[in-house]
Amino acid sequence: MLTRISFYSLIVFFITNFSICNQLQFNSNWGAIYLSSEDKSINLEKLQEVIITHIDFINSNFHSPHKSPIYIKIQNKSLINNNNLWSWSLGVTKGENHIFLKSPALTHISINRFYKVVKHEIGHIFLNRLNIEIPKWFSEGFCLKYASEISKNHSLNVSKNLNNKMMFNIDSIDQKFNANNKRDFDFAYSLSAVIFNLIIELYGDQVINNIINNLKKNQQFDKAFYNSTLISLIDFNSNLYSEIKKKYRWIKLIKFPNILFLLFPFLLSIGFIIKKYNNKKKLQDWEIEELIEDSLNYDEKKDIN
């Protein structure tokens, strides 16, 4: 009896520990990758290709400072309770070595969107390995940019708040990532994306490489920023709102076709009323013309007689 119970216990142990997670181990330019997933529908071989390709992309552009193992875990349950940042995020990076991701089955996103989330978190691993304090708005902008996540939605979200100048202060952006409402959380991401693109637009394609290289020299972020742009972070912050307003104040017009679509039934009704009125007026004019013509014909006949 004891032997049978032990045998069944062993079976249960193997089932619970080896069927819950799919696992894969492989090497990369940043060190060994240990990948595990509670979502068995995810193709780990394909995900391996995505991870290696993105690591190679970042490595070729910015060069990783050192190698060490990376542990990536895909979970079918929420990550950590009682934390707004992690509750609203699709993934979380802890330090230099650990990435936790919510599976697409949990978040209901497409697999392509999920791959971008993976790339985003790999970007955080790279920045964390610089071992220098970096503002979260720059860190998120970097990861959004090189994971190809920046979209028109970020610009639209920023443009909706252009009437509130106080929201465009880089000193307060990082606080919004820990806000108690998702609206501020989403705005912080959108503004980070917009600022990151603006830096490249104002100071050239090589500016990010220059900032990263200066950070590798253990320069504080404000000094690395100044040495790369020749403008202080304080002055950049002072001009930030006017630059964003100048660039994005007309972007609301993108929604104009949607407004027309909503107004279309109303416009159609007005057009129908106008058309009906014009037709009625035209019929009345024809009737008047016929009466005048009949009157003239009657007068002509009367004169002849």
Side-chain angles (χ1 to χ4, degrees):
M1 185 68 178
L2 290 174
T3 304
R4 182 178 296 177
I5 292 174
S6 300
F7 177 72
Y8 286 144
S9 299
L10 188 62
I11 291 176
V12 170
F13 173 82
F14 275 98
I15 290 175
T16 55
N17 285 277
F18 291 93
S19 65
I20 289 178
C21 285
N22 294 333
Q23 297 179 340
L24 188 65
Q25 178 184 346
F26 53 92
N27 293 319
S28 75
N29 284 322
W30 292 359
I33 309 289
Y34 298 89
L35 178 61
S36 64
S37 175
E38 294 177 358
D39 186 346
K40 290 189 284 187
S41 68
I42 294 178
N43 186 329
L44 295 189
E45 285 74 21
K46 174 60 178 176
L47 186 54
Q48 172 186 347
E49 180 183 338
V50 171
I51 292 169
I52 289 178
T53 299
H54 197 60
I55 285 177
D56 289 345
F57 168 76
I58 294 182
N59 207 52
S60 64
N61 284 278
F62 304 105
H63 308 294
S64 179
H66 62 266
K67 291 184 178 183
S68 61
I70 300 174
Y71 302 90
I72 303 175
K73 185 174 183 180
I74 303 164
Q75 299 184 192
N76 274 333
K77 55 184 179 295
S78 296
L79 299 176
I80 298 177
N81 295 325
N82 301 320
N83 188 298
N84 290 334
L85 174 61
W86 291 352
S87 296
W88 295 329
S89 295
L90 299 175
V92 175
T93 297
K94 298 285 289 180
E96 301 180 14
N97 305 95
H98 295 276
I99 294 175
F100 300 92
L101 300 159
K102 293 178 182 176
S103 76
L106 181 64
T107 57
H108 307 294
I109 61 175
S110 69
I111 192 64
N112 287 332
R113 177 76 181 91
F114 175 73
Y115 289 156
K116 288 184 178 182
V117 175
V118 175
K119 293 177 182 179
H120 183 111
E121 300 308 323
I122 289 172
H124 282 302
I125 290 289
F126 167 75
L127 292 176
N128 290 348
R129 290 186 175 187
L130 296 178
N131 289 319
I132 197 79
E133 186 176 351
I134 300 173
K136 192 162 180 61
W137 63 263
F138 183 87
S139 176
E140 295 301 340
F142 179 96
C143 296
L144 286 166
K145 176 70 174 180
Y146 297 111
S148 301
E149 290 183 290
I150 299 179
S151 69
K152 287 292 183 185
N153 288 333
H154 293 113
S155 303
L156 285 169
N157 193 21
V158 167
S159 69
K160 288 189 298 186
N161 295 279
L162 285 176
N163 292 330
N164 189 349
K165 184 177 180 179
M166 296 300 295
M167 295 184 71
F168 294 83
N169 187 329
I170 58 176
D171 295 329
S172 62
I173 297 173
D174 285 9
Q175 300 172 10
K176 289 182 171 57
F177 287 104
N178 297 313
N180 291 322
N181 63 82
K182 194 171 184 300
R183 181 178 176 274
D184 283 351
F185 177 80
D186 290 339
F187 176 76
Y189 270 96
S190 296
L191 187 55
S192 298
V194 165
I195 293 175
F196 198 86
N197 271 344
L198 185 64
I199 291 172
I200 296 174
E201 182 178 325
L202 292 175
Y203 306 111
D205 294 336
Q206 289 298 313
V207 66
I208 304 303
N209 296 72
N210 295 337
I211 291 174
I212 297 298
N213 287 334
N214 287 327
L215 291 172
K216 287 179 180 178
K217 298 174 184 177
N218 292 321
Q219 294 181 12
Q220 296 299 312
F221 183 81
D222 55 350
K223 184 177 180 180
F225 186 89
Y226 175 78
N227 288 337
S228 304
T229 63
L230 300 182
I231 185 173
S232 70
L233 206 54
I234 295 174
D235 289 339
F236 175 77
N237 191 26
S238 299
N239 298 326
L240 180 62
Y241 176 72
S242 60
E243 290 289 346
I244 291 177
K245 187 174 183 180
K246 179 172 61 177
K247 184 175 178 60
Y248 293 103
R249 60 184 173 182
W250 302 113
I251 204 165
K252 288 184 179 180
L253 294 176
I254 292 176
K255 289 190 173 182
F256 188 66
N258 294 334
I259 296 173
L260 285 180
F261 181 77
L262 293 174
L263 292 176
F264 184 73
F266 177 71
L267 296 173
L268 188 63
S269 298
I270 292 177
F272 177 77
I273 292 171
I274 293 173
K275 183 72 173 177
K276 185 177 180 180
Y277 173 78
N278 289 336
N279 289 341
K280 185 177 180 180
K281 189 173 184 302
K282 188 175 292 185
L283 287 173
Q284 289 176 345
D285 291 341
W286 287 349
E287 289 176 359
I288 292 173
E289 289 178 3
E290 287 180 358
L291 289 174
I292 293 173
E293 187 176 348
D294 290 342
S295 176
L296 291 173
N297 290 337
Y298 175 78
D299 292 339
E300 287 178 1
K301 290 180 180 179
K302 189 176 178 182
D303 292 340
I304 292 172
N305 293 330

